[in-house]
Amino acid sequence: MRRVPATVLALGAALTLGLPATPAAAWGGPAGPISWRPAPTAPGPGGPASVTDGPATLLALVNQQRRQAGCPPLAADPRLDRLAQALSDDMAARGYFAHTDPAGRTPWDRARAASVDYLGGENIARGQPSAQAVTEAWLASSDHRANMLNCRFTELGSGLHQGPGGPWWTEDFGYPPAR
């Protein structure tokens, strides 16, 4: 794996997230920009419609990977769960697959509208038949892996919409929320 200077990575992440540019090492997680390309998908229209495991299994699998990487576990967050579920449902209902919805709303626009001010990143996927399969797909993508293993994230919300052409998966990662 080719190493890129931390300042270049931090600047890329800062531009993507709208954060001040700081060295990636200060973020407490793997160096790397966070981008918004969807994870690779399985064929959609003939894809599986029923998943036997879901968000709780997804949280356990993500935390297992974080533990191996030396990151603290993520806590389930009901507000992020609702945000993630809303995106999974909306993608299925309106027939799109993207972080930015057809109206042009970004993950942060949707978070702001839901009074969530601590969103840090988002992963989406479509077509994987289980939490294990979608976790493996995200881990195979450097950008999605970076979200999952960002040690600064402390919260996770998961959404799963099952139906023809899916399932649609969403993970929303959060920084410590003000409580």
Side-chain angles (χ1 to χ4, degrees):
M1 171 187 278
R2 191 172 75 101
R3 302 279 305 174
V4 178
T7 53
V8 172
L9 296 173
L11 181 57
L15 292 174
T16 302
L17 295 172
L19 300 172
T22 59
W27 290 39
I34 299 172
S35 79
W36 300 110
R37 288 176 300 181
T41 64
S50 180
V51 173
T52 57
D53 58 1
T57 303
L58 193 57
L59 177 62
L61 291 168
V62 170
N63 280 334
Q64 178 183 0
Q65 294 298 317
R66 289 174 63 84
R67 190 170 33 260
Q68 292 173 5
C71 294
L74 296 171
D77 184 281
R79 290 168 61 199
L80 290 175
D81 280 341
R82 286 189 294 275
L83 187 65
Q85 187 63 52
L87 179 59
S88 290
D89 292 343
D90 190 49
M91 287 189 293
R94 294 203 282 170
Y96 71 97
F97 178 65
H99 293 282
T100 301
D101 68 23
R105 295 183 329 147
T106 68
W108 287 274
D109 295 332
R110 291 188 303 273
R112 202 170 14 263
S115 300
V116 173
D117 60 358
Y118 52 95
L119 179 66
E122 179 174 84
N123 289 346
I124 63 173
R126 177 178 166 212
Q128 291 77 8
S130 67
Q132 181 70 43
V134 75
T135 299
E136 289 171 5
W138 282 327
L139 288 169
S141 162
S142 61
D143 295 332
H144 297 91
R145 181 182 187 90
N147 276 344
M148 293 169 72
L149 302 181
N150 182 333
C151 293
R152 290 195 58 215
F153 293 150
T154 59
E155 317 294 315
L156 179 68
S158 300
L160 168 63
H161 180 94
Q162 299 187 61
W168 290 262
W169 300 88
T170 303
E171 285 183 321
D172 280 332
F173 298 89
Y175 295 105
R179 301 214 193 256

